[in-house]
Amino acid sequence: MDISTITDVDKLKALAYDTLQVLEAQQNNLRIIQQRIAELQQQEAPKKK
């Protein structure tokens, strides 16, 4: 999609909103992944001793 061709402000605002929704979902997924990594690393630590 070539954003430079969009001239309707409402369409651009809608696109920005949709993009923000996707970004927030991905950030949430990243937090969940990081938590899981931390859990697994804590489980591994006692095994290495």
Side-chain angles (χ1 to χ4, degrees):
M1 174 185 311
D2 186 0
I3 294 174
S4 66
T5 62
I6 300 174
T7 58
D8 184 347
V9 172
D10 288 333
K11 284 184 182 179
L12 288 169
K13 286 181 180 180
L15 182 58
Y17 178 81
D18 292 345
T19 302
L20 186 57
Q21 294 295 96
V22 171
L23 177 61
E24 289 175 352
Q26 291 300 326
Q27 286 175 328
N28 188 50
N29 290 341
L30 183 56
R31 276 190 291 276
I32 292 168
I33 291 168
Q34 289 172 324
Q35 288 173 347
R36 184 62 181 147
I37 289 170
E39 289 172 5
L40 292 174
Q41 287 176 334
Q42 287 177 348
Q43 290 174 8
E44 271 185 15
K47 293 178 186 176
K48 289 184 179 180
K49 289 183 178 181

